[in-house]
Amino acid sequence: MAMDDNGDNHQPAGRPDGGQYAPKAGRNTDDDLEPDTGAALGIAGHWLDGQRVAAREAADATVGDDAWYTNKGRELGCEYADAIVDAAIHADDIPAGTTLTDMAFDDEALAEYLEDLDSDSSPDDIRAAATHAAEGAATPAERAERELKVMERLAVARMRGTYDDDSMHRAMGFAAAIIDARDMLRR
């Protein structure tokens, strides 16, 4: 791209449009538009449903323990993330001071996920961390992404803190599913 004395860019010579003014960077793009977070949440929820079914089928078809526990953890991670995303879809109905985690899980359900991860954390610990993570989130999708990060950190800490291969593989699959869900929400 050639620049003239006035700082304007021109198309290079030798092209059919050579010498003409080049478009300004960012012109005619949609960068200034707000993303449709409702659509992003819907796409992520649909994708997570498919991922959960695939992980369940993979666990059912697997013979080796390592792969079975990894796929089982992945199934649980997709299930957890799907519940958070579903709560985010209905985020307009959240009472003040309530998190997506509060909406998605009662204490018993949250305790089951923690038990599946062999975690020493309590539902109250997760709720407190989710409350802190959700502060300042601008959209329901951002809120879901931040609250999922709480459980991702827990799963990663579990992977690092265990010498039991089964527990490590389950936590690894769980964390991978949460990371994938967070990536979907950031698109």
Side-chain angles (χ1 to χ4, degrees), residues 15-17 21 46 51 62 73-77 80 83 104 106 114-115 118 122 124 132 134 141 160 172 177 187:
R15 291 177 40 150
D17 60 350
Y21 286 110
H46 181 70
Q51 290 296 306
T62 302
R74 192 161 184 73
E75 177 188 345
L76 293 168
Y80 185 90
D106 60 17
L114 296 172
E115 184 179 324
D118 297 328
S122 73
D124 290 339
H132 179 69
R160 292 178 177 158
M172 184 171 54
R187 288 183 187 171

mmCIF file of all heavy atoms in Angstrom, residues 15-17 21 46 51 62 73-77 80 83 104 106 114-115 118 122 124 132 134 141 160 172 177 187:
data_model
loop_
_atom_site.group_PDB
_atom_site.id
_atom_site.type_symbol
_atom_site.label_atom_id
_atom_site.label_comp_id
_atom_site.label_asym_id
_atom_site.label_seq_id
_atom_site.Cartn_x
_atom_site.Cartn_y
_atom_site.Cartn_z
ATOM 1 N N ARG A 15 -2.289 -2.902 -10.119
ATOM 2 C CA ARG A 15 -3.609 -3.489 -9.856
ATOM 3 C C ARG A 15 -4.631 -2.725 -10.683
ATOM 4 O O ARG A 15 -4.402 -1.564 -11.032
ATOM 5 C CB ARG A 15 -3.970 -3.353 -8.372
ATOM 6 C CG ARG A 15 -3.136 -4.207 -7.441
ATOM 7 C CD ARG A 15 -3.486 -3.994 -5.987
ATOM 8 N NE ARG A 15 -4.916 -3.843 -5.763
ATOM 9 C CZ ARG A 15 -5.556 -4.196 -4.652
ATOM 10 N NH1 ARG A 15 -4.880 -4.708 -3.655
ATOM 11 N NH2 ARG A 15 -6.841 -4.013 -4.524
ATOM 12 N N PRO A 16 -5.774 -3.360 -10.985
ATOM 13 C CA PRO A 16 -6.804 -2.642 -11.743
ATOM 14 C C PRO A 16 -7.263 -1.369 -11.042
ATOM 15 O O PRO A 16 -7.638 -0.395 -11.690
ATOM 16 C CB PRO A 16 -7.944 -3.644 -11.852
ATOM 17 C CG PRO A 16 -7.335 -4.972 -11.631
ATOM 18 C CD PRO A 16 -6.131 -4.749 -10.763
ATOM 19 N N ASP A 17 -7.219 -1.357 -9.716
ATOM 20 C CA ASP A 17 -7.634 -0.171 -8.966
ATOM 21 C C ASP A 17 -6.422 0.628 -8.466
ATOM 22 O O ASP A 17 -6.521 1.424 -7.549
ATOM 23 C CB ASP A 17 -8.544 -0.565 -7.798
ATOM 24 C CG ASP A 17 -7.867 -1.512 -6.818
ATOM 25 O OD1 ASP A 17 -6.761 -2.026 -7.121
ATOM 26 O OD2 ASP A 17 -8.443 -1.759 -5.743
ATOM 27 N N TYR A 21 -7.775 5.743 -3.982
ATOM 28 C CA TYR A 21 -7.719 5.769 -2.523
ATOM 29 C C TYR A 21 -8.099 4.403 -1.959
ATOM 30 O O TYR A 21 -9.040 3.763 -2.427
ATOM 31 C CB TYR A 21 -8.672 6.821 -1.936
ATOM 32 C CG TYR A 21 -8.184 8.231 -2.115
ATOM 33 C CD1 TYR A 21 -8.825 9.100 -3.002
ATOM 34 C CD2 TYR A 21 -7.096 8.689 -1.403
ATOM 35 C CE1 TYR A 21 -8.383 10.392 -3.176
ATOM 36 C CE2 TYR A 21 -6.638 9.996 -1.563
ATOM 37 C CZ TYR A 21 -7.281 10.836 -2.447
ATOM 38 O OH TYR A 21 -6.825 12.110 -2.612
ATOM 39 N N HIS A 46 -26.917 -24.965 22.449
ATOM 40 C CA HIS A 46 -27.154 -26.033 21.476
ATOM 41 C C HIS A 46 -25.883 -26.861 21.287
ATOM 42 O O HIS A 46 -25.925 -28.096 21.242
ATOM 43 C CB HIS A 46 -27.611 -25.426 20.150
ATOM 44 C CG HIS A 46 -27.898 -26.427 19.097
ATOM 45 N ND1 HIS A 46 -28.989 -27.267 19.153
ATOM 46 C CD2 HIS A 46 -27.229 -26.747 17.962
ATOM 47 C CE1 HIS A 46 -28.985 -28.054 18.096
ATOM 48 N NE2 HIS A 46 -27.919 -27.748 17.354
ATOM 49 N N GLN A 51 -22.274 -31.747 22.555
ATOM 50 C CA GLN A 51 -21.027 -32.193 23.164
ATOM 51 C C GLN A 51 -21.280 -33.163 24.320
ATOM 52 O O GLN A 51 -20.542 -34.135 24.488
ATOM 53 C CB GLN A 51 -20.231 -30.982 23.681
ATOM 54 C CG GLN A 51 -19.668 -30.119 22.578
ATOM 55 C CD GLN A 51 -18.658 -30.857 21.732
ATOM 56 O OE1 GLN A 51 -17.698 -31.413 22.234
ATOM 57 N NE2 GLN A 51 -18.894 -30.875 20.435
ATOM 58 N N THR A 62 -16.074 -46.717 25.375
ATOM 59 C CA THR A 62 -14.664 -46.789 25.746
ATOM 60 C C THR A 62 -14.398 -47.973 26.647
ATOM 61 O O THR A 62 -15.178 -48.291 27.542
ATOM 62 C CB THR A 62 -14.255 -45.493 26.484
ATOM 63 O OG1 THR A 62 -14.515 -44.398 25.619
ATOM 64 C CG2 THR A 62 -12.798 -45.511 26.843
ATOM 65 N N GLY A 73 -15.883 -37.083 32.689
ATOM 66 C CA GLY A 73 -15.653 -35.721 33.175
ATOM 67 C C GLY A 73 -16.105 -34.685 32.161
ATOM 68 O O GLY A 73 -16.697 -33.664 32.508
ATOM 69 N N ARG A 74 -15.858 -34.975 30.887
ATOM 70 C CA ARG A 74 -16.280 -34.064 29.821
ATOM 71 C C ARG A 74 -17.801 -33.970 29.779
ATOM 72 O O ARG A 74 -18.365 -32.886 29.624
ATOM 73 C CB ARG A 74 -15.722 -34.555 28.489
ATOM 74 C CG ARG A 74 -15.860 -33.576 27.408
ATOM 75 C CD ARG A 74 -14.910 -33.892 26.259
ATOM 76 N NE ARG A 74 -14.982 -32.882 25.248
ATOM 77 C CZ ARG A 74 -14.486 -31.664 25.341
ATOM 78 N NH1 ARG A 74 -13.855 -31.300 26.418
ATOM 79 N NH2 ARG A 74 -14.609 -30.800 24.376
ATOM 80 N N GLU A 75 -18.472 -35.095 29.917
ATOM 81 C CA GLU A 75 -19.939 -35.100 29.947
ATOM 82 C C GLU A 75 -20.454 -34.247 31.101
ATOM 83 O O GLU A 75 -21.362 -33.425 30.935
ATOM 84 C CB GLU A 75 -20.451 -36.536 30.080
ATOM 85 C CG GLU A 75 -21.948 -36.648 30.187
ATOM 86 C CD GLU A 75 -22.432 -38.053 30.509
ATOM 87 O OE1 GLU A 75 -21.658 -39.017 30.391
ATOM 88 O OE2 GLU A 75 -23.604 -38.173 30.906
ATOM 89 N N LEU A 76 -19.866 -34.421 32.280
ATOM 90 C CA LEU A 76 -20.279 -33.641 33.448
ATOM 91 C C LEU A 76 -19.982 -32.156 33.268
ATOM 92 O O LEU A 76 -20.784 -31.298 33.652
ATOM 93 C CB LEU A 76 -19.578 -34.165 34.709
ATOM 94 C CG LEU A 76 -19.980 -35.569 35.146
ATOM 95 C CD1 LEU A 76 -19.017 -36.075 36.220
ATOM 96 C CD2 LEU A 76 -21.405 -35.598 35.641
ATOM 97 N N GLY A 77 -18.834 -31.842 32.669
ATOM 98 C CA GLY A 77 -18.483 -30.440 32.414
ATOM 99 C C GLY A 77 -19.455 -29.773 31.447
ATOM 100 O O GLY A 77 -19.869 -28.632 31.655
ATOM 101 N N TYR A 80 -22.693 -29.180 33.326
ATOM 102 C CA TYR A 80 -22.559 -28.036 34.221
ATOM 103 C C TYR A 80 -22.627 -26.724 33.435
ATOM 104 O O TYR A 80 -23.379 -25.807 33.772
ATOM 105 C CB TYR A 80 -21.237 -28.123 34.993
ATOM 106 C CG TYR A 80 -21.073 -27.048 36.026
ATOM 107 C CD1 TYR A 80 -21.520 -27.255 37.323
ATOM 108 C CD2 TYR A 80 -20.493 -25.819 35.711
ATOM 109 C CE1 TYR A 80 -21.389 -26.259 38.283
ATOM 110 C CE2 TYR A 80 -20.368 -24.826 36.663
ATOM 111 C CZ TYR A 80 -20.811 -25.051 37.945
ATOM 112 O OH TYR A 80 -20.692 -24.064 38.896
ATOM 113 N N ALA A 83 -26.076 -25.834 32.120
ATOM 114 C CA ALA A 83 -26.966 -25.270 33.141
ATOM 115 C C ALA A 83 -26.678 -23.790 33.371
ATOM 116 O O ALA A 83 -27.602 -22.983 33.524
ATOM 117 C CB ALA A 83 -26.831 -26.049 34.450
ATOM 118 N N ALA A 104 -28.936 -21.916 38.612
ATOM 119 C CA ALA A 104 -28.785 -23.201 37.936
ATOM 120 C C ALA A 104 -28.757 -24.392 38.886
ATOM 121 O O ALA A 104 -29.162 -25.492 38.505
ATOM 122 C CB ALA A 104 -27.513 -23.188 37.093
ATOM 123 N N ASP A 106 -29.189 -26.098 42.981
ATOM 124 C CA ASP A 106 -29.427 -26.059 44.419
ATOM 125 C C ASP A 106 -28.174 -26.645 45.086
ATOM 126 O O ASP A 106 -27.269 -27.128 44.410
ATOM 127 C CB ASP A 106 -30.707 -26.811 44.800
ATOM 128 C CG ASP A 106 -30.701 -28.280 44.418
ATOM 129 O OD1 ASP A 106 -29.614 -28.843 44.141
ATOM 130 O OD2 ASP A 106 -31.781 -28.891 44.393
ATOM 131 N N LEU A 114 -19.180 -31.240 42.870
ATOM 132 C CA LEU A 114 -17.963 -31.161 43.671
ATOM 133 C C LEU A 114 -17.497 -32.548 44.078
ATOM 134 O O LEU A 114 -16.297 -32.834 44.095
ATOM 135 C CB LEU A 114 -18.198 -30.275 44.892
ATOM 136 C CG LEU A 114 -18.506 -28.805 44.567
ATOM 137 C CD1 LEU A 114 -18.906 -28.054 45.830
ATOM 138 C CD2 LEU A 114 -17.326 -28.146 43.882
ATOM 139 N N GLU A 115 -18.439 -33.423 44.387
ATOM 140 C CA GLU A 115 -18.099 -34.807 44.728
ATOM 141 C C GLU A 115 -17.512 -35.525 43.517
ATOM 142 O O GLU A 115 -16.536 -36.266 43.642
ATOM 143 C CB GLU A 115 -19.350 -35.534 45.226
ATOM 144 C CG GLU A 115 -19.080 -36.950 45.692
ATOM 145 C CD GLU A 115 -20.348 -37.629 46.191
ATOM 146 O OE1 GLU A 115 -21.185 -36.939 46.803
ATOM 147 O OE2 GLU A 115 -20.474 -38.831 45.950
ATOM 148 N N ASP A 118 -14.087 -34.833 43.221
ATOM 149 C CA ASP A 118 -13.341 -35.156 44.435
ATOM 150 C C ASP A 118 -12.793 -33.895 45.091
ATOM 151 O O ASP A 118 -11.656 -33.845 45.554
ATOM 152 C CB ASP A 118 -12.184 -36.131 44.150
ATOM 153 C CG ASP A 118 -12.670 -37.472 43.634
ATOM 154 O OD1 ASP A 118 -13.773 -37.888 44.039
ATOM 155 O OD2 ASP A 118 -11.962 -38.103 42.834
ATOM 156 N N SER A 122 -16.927 -26.484 49.203
ATOM 157 C CA SER A 122 -18.349 -26.610 49.527
ATOM 158 C C SER A 122 -19.165 -25.787 48.534
ATOM 159 O O SER A 122 -18.629 -24.892 47.874
ATOM 160 C CB SER A 122 -18.609 -26.111 50.947
ATOM 161 O OG SER A 122 -18.515 -24.704 50.982
ATOM 162 N N ASP A 124 -21.090 -23.468 49.232
ATOM 163 C CA ASP A 124 -20.982 -22.070 49.668
ATOM 164 C C ASP A 124 -19.723 -21.407 49.109
ATOM 165 O O ASP A 124 -19.740 -20.223 48.747
ATOM 166 C CB ASP A 124 -20.988 -21.967 51.196
ATOM 167 C CG ASP A 124 -22.348 -22.302 51.787
ATOM 168 O OD1 ASP A 124 -23.362 -22.215 51.058
ATOM 169 O OD2 ASP A 124 -22.390 -22.649 52.978
ATOM 170 N N HIS A 132 -18.421 -13.125 43.359
ATOM 171 C CA HIS A 132 -17.286 -12.236 43.111
ATOM 172 C C HIS A 132 -16.981 -12.146 41.610
ATOM 173 O O HIS A 132 -16.726 -11.059 41.083
ATOM 174 C CB HIS A 132 -16.059 -12.737 43.869
ATOM 175 C CG HIS A 132 -14.844 -11.908 43.651
ATOM 176 N ND1 HIS A 132 -14.716 -10.628 44.126
ATOM 177 C CD2 HIS A 132 -13.697 -12.180 42.975
ATOM 178 C CE1 HIS A 132 -13.547 -10.139 43.767
ATOM 179 N NE2 HIS A 132 -12.912 -11.060 43.065
ATOM 180 N N ALA A 134 -18.983 -12.579 39.049
ATOM 181 C CA ALA A 134 -20.055 -11.957 38.258
ATOM 182 C C ALA A 134 -20.086 -10.444 38.374
ATOM 183 O O ALA A 134 -20.715 -9.779 37.547
ATOM 184 C CB ALA A 134 -21.400 -12.539 38.677
ATOM 185 N N ALA A 141 -23.867 -13.216 28.703
ATOM 186 C CA ALA A 141 -22.841 -14.120 28.179
ATOM 187 C C ALA A 141 -21.517 -13.929 28.917
ATOM 188 O O ALA A 141 -20.834 -14.895 29.252
ATOM 189 C CB ALA A 141 -22.650 -13.904 26.680
ATOM 190 N N ARG A 160 -4.188 -30.777 39.355
ATOM 191 C CA ARG A 160 -2.834 -30.581 39.885
ATOM 192 C C ARG A 160 -2.655 -31.196 41.267
ATOM 193 O O ARG A 160 -1.535 -31.505 41.653
ATOM 194 C CB ARG A 160 -2.531 -29.094 39.980
ATOM 195 C CG ARG A 160 -2.407 -28.436 38.650
ATOM 196 C CD ARG A 160 -2.148 -26.956 38.804
ATOM 197 N NE ARG A 160 -1.970 -26.332 37.515
ATOM 198 C CZ ARG A 160 -2.148 -25.064 37.294
ATOM 199 N NH1 ARG A 160 -2.476 -24.255 38.270
ATOM 200 N NH2 ARG A 160 -1.981 -24.573 36.098
ATOM 201 N N MET A 172 -9.748 -33.470 34.279
ATOM 202 C CA MET A 172 -9.219 -32.982 33.013
ATOM 203 C C MET A 172 -10.346 -32.869 31.979
ATOM 204 O O MET A 172 -10.454 -31.857 31.281
ATOM 205 C CB MET A 172 -8.137 -33.938 32.505
ATOM 206 C CG MET A 172 -7.446 -33.497 31.259
ATOM 207 S SD MET A 172 -5.995 -34.518 30.852
ATOM 208 C CE MET A 172 -6.669 -36.159 30.846
ATOM 209 N N ALA A 177 -14.189 -29.335 28.987
ATOM 210 C CA ALA A 177 -15.545 -28.965 28.574
ATOM 211 C C ALA A 177 -15.864 -27.531 28.973
ATOM 212 O O ALA A 177 -16.472 -26.780 28.201
ATOM 213 C CB ALA A 177 -16.562 -29.930 29.183
ATOM 214 N N ARG A 187 -16.935 -15.894 21.492
ATOM 215 C CA ARG A 187 -16.933 -15.675 20.028
ATOM 216 C C ARG A 187 -17.900 -14.601 19.644
ATOM 217 O O ARG A 187 -18.851 -14.311 20.209
ATOM 218 C CB ARG A 187 -17.289 -16.965 19.304
ATOM 219 C CG ARG A 187 -16.155 -17.951 19.393
ATOM 220 C CD ARG A 187 -16.474 -19.180 18.619
ATOM 221 N NE ARG A 187 -15.417 -20.142 18.880
ATOM 222 C CZ ARG A 187 -15.483 -21.379 18.497
ATOM 223 N NH1 ARG A 187 -16.518 -21.814 17.867
ATOM 224 N NH2 ARG A 187 -14.491 -22.191 18.755
#
